Amino acid sequence: MTSRAPLKIDIWSDIACPWCYIGKRNLEKGLAETAGDDDAPRVEIEYHSFELSPDTPVDFEGSSAEFLAERKGIGIDEARAMNERVAQIAEGAGLHYRFDLQQHTNTVKAHELIHFAKAHGKQLEMKERLLSAYFVEGRHVGRIDELVAMAEEVGLDPVAARDALESDAYLDAVRADQAQAQAYGINGVPFFVIDGKYGVSGAQPPEAFAQVARQVWAEKQA
């Protein structure tokens, strides 16, 4: 059998998307389920930028529920109930969301940092760090000082990270990801493109990701 190239999974997501972190965990669990297969898929994952609310200010004045109520045009109690439901689903994925600590912000700089990290071989680590910071730790992921600190936490050069963020060095890469999403017709995240052929929308359960990984890996057999 000819050696197969790894299974490529391209993921469009936003740091401020609660379902994106849940989807990330479910994908990881699904791929872990396939690891013991006789012909286990070899997988390469790449994240791509998507901004759910590009008009969000860097420093949003208000709580997570207030942001949700304002954005969706709903009452504050309904917004709190929505957050509570998402938090319960996140717990099922092993994530302890703290909407009471959350600091809503513009995510474009976080996306630029993920591209910087990708250029230095740390994209997956940076993505995880930012999602945890935003949803679990209540850290501010829109301010350059905070982003530089998190870059250093995953082993990146803080001086180079700051220079990249202050100069908008990776803004074009963010915009290119967004243009590709538009070309694909992606209007919500998370969105997974499996081997450039199959689209999977939303935070599917782990078994669904395991199934599609096995199916597409089998199709790659020479």
Side-chain angles (χ1 to χ4, degrees):
M1 185 192 307
T2 304
S3 177
R4 282 167 283 175
L7 185 66
K8 181 73 184 297
I9 302 179
D10 292 283
I11 307 168
W12 273 261
S13 78
D14 192 5
I15 299 302
C17 164
W19 298 104
C20 290
Y21 203 5
I22 295 167
K24 181 179 187 293
R25 274 294 179 276
N26 287 352
L27 172 67
E28 289 164 355
K29 290 178 181 177
L31 293 176
E33 283 182 24
T34 71
D37 293 0
D38 289 339
D39 184 24
R42 289 184 296 108
V43 176
E44 177 187 337
I45 293 171
E46 182 175 346
Y47 281 93
H48 300 276
S49 304
F50 192 101
E51 289 179 274
L52 285 170
S53 301
D55 57 344
T56 303
V58 171
D59 293 300
F60 176 80
E61 298 295 335
S63 68
S64 176
E66 286 168 338
F67 178 87
L68 190 61
E70 180 182 304
R71 183 161 179 260
K72 292 191 173 290
I74 59 177
I76 193 73
D77 289 340
E78 185 180 350
R80 287 194 186 103
M82 288 177 68
N83 275 348
E84 187 175 324
R85 175 176 170 268
V86 173
Q88 288 172 350
I89 294 169
E91 287 287 346
L95 300 167
H96 184 55
Y97 281 7
R98 291 293 305 270
F99 285 112
D100 58 317
L101 300 178
Q102 194 170 76
Q103 300 186 65
H104 272 280
T105 185
N106 190 290
T107 59
V108 69
K109 285 296 173 188
H111 285 296
E112 290 179 40
L113 182 59
I114 291 168
H115 277 280
F116 169 80
K118 174 187 168 186
H120 295 83
K122 293 272 189 180
Q123 189 195 44
L124 300 186
E125 294 90 339
M126 196 73 254
K127 181 74 173 182
E128 175 66 28
R129 186 71 200 89
L130 288 165
L131 286 166
S132 177
Y134 186 70
F135 284 107
V136 178
E137 301 161 42
R139 289 179 69 177
H140 199 304
V141 301
R143 296 177 185 150
I144 287 178
D145 285 350
E146 282 277 358
L147 292 170
V148 169
M150 284 181 254
E152 188 170 18
E153 286 166 20
V154 302
L156 292 166
D157 180 348
V159 175
R162 181 179 296 279
D163 180 64
L165 293 173
E166 290 180 346
S167 67
D168 295 335
Y170 291 91
L171 182 58
D172 285 349
V174 173
R175 300 301 182 221
D177 277 353
Q178 293 167 330
Q180 184 63 67
Q182 191 171 21
Y184 278 152
I186 298 170
N187 51 26
V189 288
F191 194 92
F192 305 80
V193 177
I194 315 295
D195 228 37
K197 297 189 292 184
Y198 301 101
V200 176
S201 179
Q204 300 297 323
E207 55 268 24
F209 286 119
Q211 181 181 3
V212 72
R214 286 174 172 135
Q215 175 189 327
V216 182
W217 184 245
E219 290 174 6
K220 289 172 72 74
Q221 286 201 48

